């Protein structure tokens, strides 16, 4: 086991690297998020493989999502997802009221915009985990409120 | 050594996630740079940036006072630093006559848990980030060092060894920025 802070340091530096290695300017903003999402995707894919090796086959899609909210999120961020909502047609909203990555970011509106890259890795991880469990999805972060609360919208691609 | 080395309690997470995250990051760097030497350099740089922050957490949590000499520093790095952050205790060995150089031998390394290097990346120093972390952290406590992985089991050597060389003790000055 490693210290939680080590992962946080690595994550912070990863965001820093991607930002530095991408040309500045508004047109490249998406590129930063995209790249971090992809690193997350790979990590999620590998991680879910290891944490489902002794788990029973999932009943249905909701079962998969619940597993991600409980086991997977705890493994990654030390706590369960606080709230899960769904419209029963393939859209899920996962809410974490105290997302660890955001815990160190000031919660004024001013920094909301800068927080986006910090959520990209987590989005990618979820998407990677889902992909490996056979669910092709789109995962987006909803930062429309005060940090460190955090919503993730998972929708299944048809 | 008379001092008691105490490892503070910190919140811990599963090391697999950390290992796999690092793996994805290295994969991304290889994609970005395509050249092993450049990747090594970049990893070291990232480690440096981590090191200059990590030392603060280390000092805040451990209550370590000043070390008398490099021998004591080496013990603290291995038995407190590595133990606290990565849960491992590399062996300190290989001192030179003047006591300004030593090696850390890694029996285990959480970074390389599931890793095998393909033939095409034999020049890659996969764990190079650790060199940077040590350089950055020691720089912040006024020690300018040179760090290098001289052997690595990933590259087919019989052991993993990091060499640390003290270059100079820095005088008081403004702290350096990020690389």
């Amino acid at each position: 086991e490693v210290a939680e802070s080590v992962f946080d340091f690595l994550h912070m530096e990863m965001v820093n690297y991607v930002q530095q290695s991408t040309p500045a300017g508004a047109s490249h903003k998406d590129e930063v998020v995209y790249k971090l999402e992809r690193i997350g995707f790979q990590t999620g894919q590998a991680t879910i493989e290891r944490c489902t090796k002794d788990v029973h086959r999932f009943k249905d899609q909701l079962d998969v999502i619940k597993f991600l909210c409980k086991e997977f999120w705890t493994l990654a961020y030390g706590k369960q997802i606080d709230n899960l909502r769904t419209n029963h047609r393939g859209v899920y909203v996962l809410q974490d009221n105290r997302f660890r990555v955001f815990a160190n970011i000031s919660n004024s509106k001013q920094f909301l915009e800068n927080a986006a890259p910090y959520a990209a890795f987590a989005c990618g991880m979820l998407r990677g985990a889902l992909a490996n469990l056979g669910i092709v999805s789109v995962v987006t972060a909803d930062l429309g409120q005060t940090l460190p609360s955090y919503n993730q919208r998972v929708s299944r691609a048809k | 050594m008379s001092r008691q080395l105490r490892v503070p309690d910190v919140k811990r997470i599963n090391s697999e996630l950390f290992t796999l995250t690092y793996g994805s990051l290295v994969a991304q760097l290889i994609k970005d740079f395509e050249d092993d030497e450049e990747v090594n350099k970049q990893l070291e740089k990232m480690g440096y940036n981590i090191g200059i922050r990590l030392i603060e957490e280390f000092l805040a949590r451990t209550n370590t006072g000043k070390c008398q000499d490099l021998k004591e520093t080496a013990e603290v790095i291995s038995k407190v630093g590595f133990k606290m952050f990565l849960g491992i205790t590399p062996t300190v060995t290989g001192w030179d006559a003047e006591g300004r150089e030593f090696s850390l031998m890694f029996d285990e390394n959480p970074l390389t848990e599931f890793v095998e290097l393909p033939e095409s990346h034999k020049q890659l120093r996969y764990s190079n980030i650790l060199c940077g972390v040590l350089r950055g952290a020691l720089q912040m406590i006024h020690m300018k060092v040179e760090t290098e992985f001289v052997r690595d089991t990933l590259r087919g050597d019989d052991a993993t060894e990091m060499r640390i060389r003290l270059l100079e003790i820095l005088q008081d000055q403004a702290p350096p920025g990020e690389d």
Side-chain angles (χ1 to χ4, degrees), chain A residues 84-98:
Chain A
L84 167 66
R85 276 171 295 157
T86 174
N87 68 351
H88 297 288
R89 279 192 226 100
V91 176
Y92 302 87
V93 178
L94 285 60
Q95 190 180 336
D96 185 343
N97 291 332
R98 206 184 143 69

Side-chain angles (χ1 to χ4, degrees), chain A residues 2-4 13 17 35 43, chain B residues 11 13 24 28 32 49 85:
Chain A
V2 300
E4 192 179 79
E13 188 52 34
Y17 160 72
K35 212 168 173 183
T43 310
Chain B
K11 272 189 103 177
I13 58 164
S24 313
Q28 181 65 44
D32 286 354
N49 291 343
F85 287 111

Side-chain angles (χ1 to χ4, degrees), chain A residues 1-3 7 50 75, chain B residues 12-22 85-87 109-111 113-114:
Chain A
E1 295 211 312
V2 300
F7 178 74
R50 299 198 62 83
L75 182 95
Chain B
R12 303 198 159 265
I13 58 164
N14 182 299
S15 65
E16 282 181 6
L17 178 81
F18 173 68
T19 307
L20 295 168
T21 305
Y22 185 68
F85 287 111
L86 293 183
N109 178 356
L111 289 179
E113 193 101 337
F114 317 115

